[in-house]
Amino acid sequence: MALPKLLYTDLTHYTFTGSVGQGSTGYTTDNLKNYIPSSRFVGGDMLSSLQYLVIDLGSARSANAVAIERHNFDSIMAVGSGSVYMEAATDAAFTTGVVTVVPDLISSEPIIYNEFNTLTKRYYRIVFDGVLQDQIYIGNIFIDQLMEFNIPYQYGFKTSNYISSTAENKNIRGTIKNSGNYASKIIHELEFKLMDETTRQDFKDIISSIRGKSTPLYFVDIDGTASYVNLTSDYTPVSVMQLGLNDINTLQFVGNSPYIDANTFNNIYVELIYEDELIESVS
């Protein structure tokens, strides 16, 4: 059984450079540094046969995983043309120490998640080798070292459930009017028992980096599914049970953004009015 993992990265150190510019107006590479997948980079053209997006991590850093979200990699290439892949190098010109990190990034998964052998590189790039039939768009890119728990979470876990948020108002006639997001958010509630000291320290470091529920990260479940989540609490303590044995009694993540399908993020609200046992749906 695979072990659960966390993937966080500090995007403030990143620099993104497109081979044919920094993106369309309002959709520049700056949008890749705000942790908001629906705020996308849109760039590239349909004239060049080889395009790429260079990702400078700011310094050579250990990394063994990448997550890419809010993308159109499944439909970007013209039919029967080309490939999309990721490589890394020692220099920004990609002339030394070049290695292929992910040989095939064409996928219809809403989150493309791949693990690879640990590298210590500063420069990565996503290569679009072939004729494009549309502009490239990407909402999120994380490249970093995974934090892996040394044990599975405990039975009694609540994972990949859904939570909704509803606002209720009642007028003088007693009519109840509820409003809320059209789509629910995924929620995970987990417990870990008997973690070793290394995992305890790694977990504390990542919680410090994300500043509680402030900054999102990717939770990778035991089946390899990655979810973009925030903690629901600013305080998630680790209990030291005895030397070298540590527990997390409640670790709760909620999906960062509800979405209706792979590439349509939810900005839709539904209202229901209840009166005299009549339910009416209001757009």
PDB file of all heavy atoms in Angstrom, residues 44-72:
ATOM      1  N   GLY A  44       1.553  31.335 -25.826  1.00  0.00           N
ATOM      2  CA  GLY A  44       1.936  30.526 -26.970  1.00  0.00           C
ATOM      3  C   GLY A  44       1.221  30.981 -28.228  1.00  0.00           C
ATOM      4  O   GLY A  44       0.337  31.841 -28.200  1.00  0.00           O
ATOM      5  N   ASP A  45       1.628  30.413 -29.345  1.00  0.00           N
ATOM      6  CA  ASP A  45       0.960  30.709 -30.607  1.00  0.00           C
ATOM      7  C   ASP A  45       0.839  29.434 -31.426  1.00  0.00           C
ATOM      8  O   ASP A  45       1.319  28.380 -31.027  1.00  0.00           O
ATOM      9  CB  ASP A  45       1.682  31.813 -31.389  1.00  0.00           C
ATOM     10  CG  ASP A  45       3.111  31.430 -31.762  1.00  0.00           C
ATOM     11  OD1 ASP A  45       3.332  30.256 -32.151  1.00  0.00           O
ATOM     12  OD2 ASP A  45       4.006  32.284 -31.679  1.00  0.00           O
ATOM     13  N   MET A  46       0.182  29.538 -32.541  1.00  0.00           N
ATOM     14  CA  MET A  46      -0.031  28.363 -33.384  1.00  0.00           C
ATOM     15  C   MET A  46       0.842  28.413 -34.631  1.00  0.00           C
ATOM     16  O   MET A  46       0.554  27.765 -35.635  1.00  0.00           O
ATOM     17  CB  MET A  46      -1.515  28.266 -33.753  1.00  0.00           C
ATOM     18  CG  MET A  46      -2.375  27.859 -32.562  1.00  0.00           C
ATOM     19  SD  MET A  46      -4.162  27.952 -32.879  1.00  0.00           S
ATOM     20  CE  MET A  46      -4.432  29.711 -32.662  1.00  0.00           C
ATOM     21  N   LEU A  47       1.947  29.176 -34.546  1.00  0.00           N
ATOM     22  CA  LEU A  47       2.862  29.308 -35.677  1.00  0.00           C
ATOM     23  C   LEU A  47       4.159  28.545 -35.440  1.00  0.00           C
ATOM     24  O   LEU A  47       4.725  27.959 -36.358  1.00  0.00           O
ATOM     25  CB  LEU A  47       3.170  30.791 -35.935  1.00  0.00           C
ATOM     26  CG  LEU A  47       1.956  31.684 -36.254  1.00  0.00           C
ATOM     27  CD1 LEU A  47       2.396  33.133 -36.388  1.00  0.00           C
ATOM     28  CD2 LEU A  47       1.256  31.212 -37.524  1.00  0.00           C
ATOM     29  N   SER A  48       4.634  28.567 -34.181  1.00  0.00           N
ATOM     30  CA  SER A  48       5.891  27.891 -33.862  1.00  0.00           C
ATOM     31  C   SER A  48       5.660  26.399 -33.655  1.00  0.00           C
ATOM     32  O   SER A  48       4.653  25.996 -33.071  1.00  0.00           O
ATOM     33  CB  SER A  48       6.511  28.492 -32.593  1.00  0.00           C
ATOM     34  OG  SER A  48       6.676  29.881 -32.725  1.00  0.00           O
ATOM     35  N   SER A  49       6.583  25.596 -34.110  1.00  0.00           N
ATOM     36  CA  SER A  49       6.439  24.147 -33.976  1.00  0.00           C
ATOM     37  C   SER A  49       7.093  23.623 -32.700  1.00  0.00           C
ATOM     38  O   SER A  49       6.928  22.455 -32.348  1.00  0.00           O
ATOM     39  CB  SER A  49       7.053  23.436 -35.185  1.00  0.00           C
ATOM     40  OG  SER A  49       8.427  23.756 -35.299  1.00  0.00           O
ATOM     41  N   LEU A  50       7.843  24.480 -31.986  1.00  0.00           N
ATOM     42  CA  LEU A  50       8.466  24.080 -30.728  1.00  0.00           C
ATOM     43  C   LEU A  50       8.354  25.247 -29.751  1.00  0.00           C
ATOM     44  O   LEU A  50       8.931  26.306 -29.968  1.00  0.00           O
ATOM     45  CB  LEU A  50       9.939  23.709 -30.937  1.00  0.00           C
ATOM     46  CG  LEU A  50      10.698  23.260 -29.688  1.00  0.00           C
ATOM     47  CD1 LEU A  50      10.121  21.961 -29.130  1.00  0.00           C
ATOM     48  CD2 LEU A  50      12.191  23.093 -29.991  1.00  0.00           C
ATOM     49  N   GLN A  51       7.589  25.034 -28.675  1.00  0.00           N
ATOM     50  CA  GLN A  51       7.399  26.069 -27.672  1.00  0.00           C
ATOM     51  C   GLN A  51       7.614  25.470 -26.297  1.00  0.00           C
ATOM     52  O   GLN A  51       7.505  24.254 -26.110  1.00  0.00           O
ATOM     53  CB  GLN A  51       6.003  26.672 -27.785  1.00  0.00           C
ATOM     54  CG  GLN A  51       5.749  27.333 -29.127  1.00  0.00           C
ATOM     55  CD  GLN A  51       4.340  27.862 -29.245  1.00  0.00           C
ATOM     56  OE1 GLN A  51       3.925  28.709 -28.475  1.00  0.00           O
ATOM     57  NE2 GLN A  51       3.597  27.363 -30.240  1.00  0.00           N
ATOM     58  N   TYR A  52       7.893  26.324 -25.325  1.00  0.00           N
ATOM     59  CA  TYR A  52       8.135  25.809 -23.985  1.00  0.00           C
ATOM     60  C   TYR A  52       7.879  26.879 -22.943  1.00  0.00           C
ATOM     61  O   TYR A  52       7.862  28.080 -23.220  1.00  0.00           O
ATOM     62  CB  TYR A  52       9.573  25.275 -23.860  1.00  0.00           C
ATOM     63  CG  TYR A  52      10.635  26.201 -24.395  1.00  0.00           C
ATOM     64  CD1 TYR A  52      11.131  27.253 -23.611  1.00  0.00           C
ATOM     65  CD2 TYR A  52      11.157  26.050 -25.675  1.00  0.00           C
ATOM     66  CE1 TYR A  52      12.110  28.120 -24.107  1.00  0.00           C
ATOM     67  CE2 TYR A  52      12.134  26.906 -26.173  1.00  0.00           C
ATOM     68  CZ  TYR A  52      12.593  27.934 -25.378  1.00  0.00           C
ATOM     69  OH  TYR A  52      13.548  28.790 -25.869  1.00  0.00           O
ATOM     70  N   LEU A  53       7.673  26.418 -21.725  1.00  0.00           N
ATOM     71  CA  LEU A  53       7.537  27.279 -20.554  1.00  0.00           C
ATOM     72  C   LEU A  53       8.643  26.889 -19.589  1.00  0.00           C
ATOM     73  O   LEU A  53       8.669  25.765 -19.085  1.00  0.00           O
ATOM     74  CB  LEU A  53       6.173  27.091 -19.898  1.00  0.00           C
ATOM     75  CG  LEU A  53       5.929  27.899 -18.621  1.00  0.00           C
ATOM     76  CD1 LEU A  53       5.841  29.396 -18.928  1.00  0.00           C
ATOM     77  CD2 LEU A  53       4.659  27.429 -17.909  1.00  0.00           C
ATOM     78  N   VAL A  54       9.579  27.811 -19.357  1.00  0.00           N
ATOM     79  CA  VAL A  54      10.700  27.557 -18.445  1.00  0.00           C
ATOM     80  C   VAL A  54      10.289  27.916 -17.025  1.00  0.00           C
ATOM     81  O   VAL A  54       9.687  28.972 -16.779  1.00  0.00           O
ATOM     82  CB  VAL A  54      11.941  28.366 -18.861  1.00  0.00           C
ATOM     83  CG1 VAL A  54      13.061  28.200 -17.831  1.00  0.00           C
ATOM     84  CG2 VAL A  54      12.429  27.919 -20.232  1.00  0.00           C
ATOM     85  N   ILE A  55      10.632  27.045 -16.088  1.00  0.00           N
ATOM     86  CA  ILE A  55      10.324  27.238 -14.674  1.00  0.00           C
ATOM     87  C   ILE A  55      11.639  27.295 -13.915  1.00  0.00           C
ATOM     88  O   ILE A  55      12.353  26.288 -13.795  1.00  0.00           O
ATOM     89  CB  ILE A  55       9.453  26.091 -14.133  1.00  0.00           C
ATOM     90  CG1 ILE A  55       8.185  25.945 -14.991  1.00  0.00           C
ATOM     91  CG2 ILE A  55       9.091  26.312 -12.679  1.00  0.00           C
ATOM     92  CD1 ILE A  55       7.774  24.527 -15.233  1.00  0.00           C
ATOM     93  N   ASP A  56      11.981  28.478 -13.426  1.00  0.00           N
ATOM     94  CA  ASP A  56      13.193  28.687 -12.630  1.00  0.00           C
ATOM     95  C   ASP A  56      12.796  28.648 -11.165  1.00  0.00           C
ATOM     96  O   ASP A  56      12.031  29.502 -10.694  1.00  0.00           O
ATOM     97  CB  ASP A  56      13.801  30.044 -13.008  1.00  0.00           C
ATOM     98  CG  ASP A  56      15.054  30.392 -12.207  1.00  0.00           C
ATOM     99  OD1 ASP A  56      15.426  29.626 -11.301  1.00  0.00           O
ATOM    100  OD2 ASP A  56      15.632  31.466 -12.480  1.00  0.00           O
ATOM    101  N   LEU A  57      13.287  27.669 -10.427  1.00  0.00           N
ATOM    102  CA  LEU A  57      12.935  27.522  -9.011  1.00  0.00           C
ATOM    103  C   LEU A  57      13.647  28.521  -8.113  1.00  0.00           C
ATOM    104  O   LEU A  57      13.382  28.571  -6.907  1.00  0.00           O
ATOM    105  CB  LEU A  57      13.235  26.097  -8.533  1.00  0.00           C
ATOM    106  CG  LEU A  57      12.557  24.948  -9.278  1.00  0.00           C
ATOM    107  CD1 LEU A  57      12.858  23.625  -8.582  1.00  0.00           C
ATOM    108  CD2 LEU A  57      11.072  25.161  -9.414  1.00  0.00           C
ATOM    109  N   GLY A  58      14.571  29.303  -8.663  1.00  0.00           N
ATOM    110  CA  GLY A  58      15.287  30.304  -7.879  1.00  0.00           C
ATOM    111  C   GLY A  58      16.630  29.826  -7.379  1.00  0.00           C
ATOM    112  O   GLY A  58      17.551  30.621  -7.176  1.00  0.00           O
ATOM    113  N   SER A  59      16.776  28.526  -7.190  1.00  0.00           N
ATOM    114  CA  SER A  59      18.038  27.897  -6.788  1.00  0.00           C
ATOM    115  C   SER A  59      17.896  26.406  -7.039  1.00  0.00           C
ATOM    116  O   SER A  59      16.784  25.888  -7.230  1.00  0.00           O
ATOM    117  CB  SER A  59      18.352  28.164  -5.309  1.00  0.00           C
ATOM    118  OG  SER A  59      17.338  27.645  -4.474  1.00  0.00           O
ATOM    119  N   ALA A  60      19.016  25.702  -7.050  1.00  0.00           N
ATOM    120  CA  ALA A  60      18.963  24.245  -7.223  1.00  0.00           C
ATOM    121  C   ALA A  60      18.340  23.632  -5.974  1.00  0.00           C
ATOM    122  O   ALA A  60      18.828  23.842  -4.860  1.00  0.00           O
ATOM    123  CB  ALA A  60      20.359  23.696  -7.452  1.00  0.00           C
ATOM    124  N   ARG A  61      17.248  22.913  -6.150  1.00  0.00           N
ATOM    125  CA  ARG A  61      16.508  22.349  -5.026  1.00  0.00           C
ATOM    126  C   ARG A  61      16.142  20.907  -5.310  1.00  0.00           C
ATOM    127  O   ARG A  61      15.928  20.525  -6.459  1.00  0.00           O
ATOM    128  CB  ARG A  61      15.226  23.155  -4.778  1.00  0.00           C
ATOM    129  CG  ARG A  61      15.485  24.579  -4.331  1.00  0.00           C
ATOM    130  CD  ARG A  61      14.291  25.476  -4.544  1.00  0.00           C
ATOM    131  NE  ARG A  61      13.089  24.967  -3.903  1.00  0.00           N
ATOM    132  CZ  ARG A  61      11.900  25.556  -4.022  1.00  0.00           C
ATOM    133  NH1 ARG A  61      11.772  26.626  -4.776  1.00  0.00           N
ATOM    134  NH2 ARG A  61      10.854  25.059  -3.401  1.00  0.00           N
ATOM    135  N   SER A  62      16.051  20.111  -4.255  1.00  0.00           N
ATOM    136  CA  SER A  62      15.628  18.719  -4.407  1.00  0.00           C
ATOM    137  C   SER A  62      14.145  18.677  -4.733  1.00  0.00           C
ATOM    138  O   SER A  62      13.337  19.394  -4.126  1.00  0.00           O
ATOM    139  CB  SER A  62      15.886  17.933  -3.118  1.00  0.00           C
ATOM    140  OG  SER A  62      17.270  17.820  -2.882  1.00  0.00           O
ATOM    141  N   ALA A  63      13.791  17.839  -5.693  1.00  0.00           N
ATOM    142  CA  ALA A  63      12.389  17.680  -6.076  1.00  0.00           C
ATOM    143  C   ALA A  63      12.181  16.261  -6.580  1.00  0.00           C
ATOM    144  O   ALA A  63      13.082  15.656  -7.169  1.00  0.00           O
ATOM    145  CB  ALA A  63      12.003  18.684  -7.153  1.00  0.00           C
ATOM    146  N   ASN A  64      10.993  15.738  -6.321  1.00  0.00           N
ATOM    147  CA  ASN A  64      10.656  14.400  -6.827  1.00  0.00           C
ATOM    148  C   ASN A  64       9.189  14.275  -7.240  1.00  0.00           C
ATOM    149  O   ASN A  64       8.679  13.168  -7.404  1.00  0.00           O
ATOM    150  CB  ASN A  64      11.002  13.324  -5.794  1.00  0.00           C
ATOM    151  CG  ASN A  64      10.205  13.449  -4.505  1.00  0.00           C
ATOM    152  OD1 ASN A  64       9.437  14.395  -4.314  1.00  0.00           O
ATOM    153  ND2 ASN A  64      10.398  12.503  -3.601  1.00  0.00           N
ATOM    154  N   ALA A  65       8.504  15.424  -7.412  1.00  0.00           N
ATOM    155  CA  ALA A  65       7.103  15.368  -7.822  1.00  0.00           C
ATOM    156  C   ALA A  65       6.700  16.668  -8.502  1.00  0.00           C
ATOM    157  O   ALA A  65       7.269  17.733  -8.232  1.00  0.00           O
ATOM    158  CB  ALA A  65       6.197  15.105  -6.623  1.00  0.00           C
ATOM    159  N   VAL A  66       5.713  16.563  -9.392  1.00  0.00           N
ATOM    160  CA  VAL A  66       5.157  17.731 -10.067  1.00  0.00           C
ATOM    161  C   VAL A  66       3.643  17.584 -10.123  1.00  0.00           C
ATOM    162  O   VAL A  66       3.122  16.489 -10.323  1.00  0.00           O
ATOM    163  CB  VAL A  66       5.746  17.905 -11.490  1.00  0.00           C
ATOM    164  CG1 VAL A  66       5.514  16.668 -12.346  1.00  0.00           C
ATOM    165  CG2 VAL A  66       5.162  19.139 -12.180  1.00  0.00           C
ATOM    166  N   ALA A  67       2.939  18.691  -9.910  1.00  0.00           N
ATOM    167  CA  ALA A  67       1.490  18.742 -10.073  1.00  0.00           C
ATOM    168  C   ALA A  67       1.160  19.919 -10.982  1.00  0.00           C
ATOM    169  O   ALA A  67       1.671  21.022 -10.788  1.00  0.00           O
ATOM    170  CB  ALA A  67       0.790  18.895  -8.727  1.00  0.00           C
ATOM    171  N   ILE A  68       0.327  19.661 -11.989  1.00  0.00           N
ATOM    172  CA  ILE A  68      -0.089  20.694 -12.955  1.00  0.00           C
ATOM    173  C   ILE A  68      -1.611  20.652 -13.019  1.00  0.00           C
ATOM    174  O   ILE A  68      -2.208  19.592 -13.205  1.00  0.00           O
ATOM    175  CB  ILE A  68       0.509  20.437 -14.349  1.00  0.00           C
ATOM    176  CG1 ILE A  68       2.046  20.415 -14.273  1.00  0.00           C
ATOM    177  CG2 ILE A  68       0.035  21.487 -15.349  1.00  0.00           C
ATOM    178  CD1 ILE A  68       2.716  19.934 -15.539  1.00  0.00           C
ATOM    179  N   GLU A  69      -2.226  21.829 -12.874  1.00  0.00           N
ATOM    180  CA  GLU A  69      -3.685  21.875 -12.778  1.00  0.00           C
ATOM    181  C   GLU A  69      -4.234  22.975 -13.677  1.00  0.00           C
ATOM    182  O   GLU A  69      -3.546  23.930 -14.007  1.00  0.00           O
ATOM    183  CB  GLU A  69      -4.079  22.139 -11.318  1.00  0.00           C
ATOM    184  CG  GLU A  69      -5.555  22.058 -11.050  1.00  0.00           C
ATOM    185  CD  GLU A  69      -5.886  22.132  -9.562  1.00  0.00           C
ATOM    186  OE1 GLU A  69      -4.960  22.244  -8.736  1.00  0.00           O
ATOM    187  OE2 GLU A  69      -7.089  22.075  -9.236  1.00  0.00           O
ATOM    188  N   ARG A  70      -5.521  22.809 -14.030  1.00  0.00           N
ATOM    189  CA  ARG A  70      -6.237  23.796 -14.852  1.00  0.00           C
ATOM    190  C   ARG A  70      -5.520  24.006 -16.182  1.00  0.00           C
ATOM    191  O   ARG A  70      -5.071  25.084 -16.532  1.00  0.00           O
ATOM    192  CB  ARG A  70      -6.354  25.098 -14.071  1.00  0.00           C
ATOM    193  CG  ARG A  70      -7.170  26.195 -14.722  1.00  0.00           C
ATOM    194  CD  ARG A  70      -8.653  25.930 -14.755  1.00  0.00           C
ATOM    195  NE  ARG A  70      -9.392  27.158 -14.990  1.00  0.00           N
ATOM    196  CZ  ARG A  70     -10.664  27.215 -15.348  1.00  0.00           C
ATOM    197  NH1 ARG A  70     -11.322  26.098 -15.531  1.00  0.00           N
ATOM    198  NH2 ARG A  70     -11.257  28.359 -15.527  1.00  0.00           N
ATOM    199  N   HIS A  71      -5.406  22.920 -16.934  1.00  0.00           N
ATOM    200  CA  HIS A  71      -4.591  22.889 -18.141  1.00  0.00           C
ATOM    201  C   HIS A  71      -5.421  22.411 -19.326  1.00  0.00           C
ATOM    202  O   HIS A  71      -6.548  21.915 -19.165  1.00  0.00           O
ATOM    203  CB  HIS A  71      -3.419  21.919 -17.947  1.00  0.00           C
ATOM    204  CG  HIS A  71      -3.902  20.508 -17.721  1.00  0.00           C
ATOM    205  ND1 HIS A  71      -4.155  19.637 -18.765  1.00  0.00           N
ATOM    206  CD2 HIS A  71      -4.224  19.845 -16.585  1.00  0.00           C
ATOM    207  CE1 HIS A  71      -4.599  18.492 -18.265  1.00  0.00           C
ATOM    208  NE2 HIS A  71      -4.656  18.590 -16.949  1.00  0.00           N
ATOM    209  N   ASN A  72      -4.872  22.534 -20.517  1.00  0.00           N
ATOM    210  CA  ASN A  72      -5.513  21.970 -21.711  1.00  0.00           C
ATOM    211  C   ASN A  72      -4.553  21.060 -22.475  1.00  0.00           C
ATOM    212  O   ASN A  72      -4.561  20.989 -23.699  1.00  0.00           O
ATOM    213  CB  ASN A  72      -6.040  23.077 -22.626  1.00  0.00           C
ATOM    214  CG  ASN A  72      -4.926  23.983 -23.157  1.00  0.00           C
ATOM    215  OD1 ASN A  72      -3.813  24.017 -22.623  1.00  0.00           O
ATOM    216  ND2 ASN A  72      -5.221  24.743 -24.207  1.00  0.00           N
TER     217      ASN A  72
END
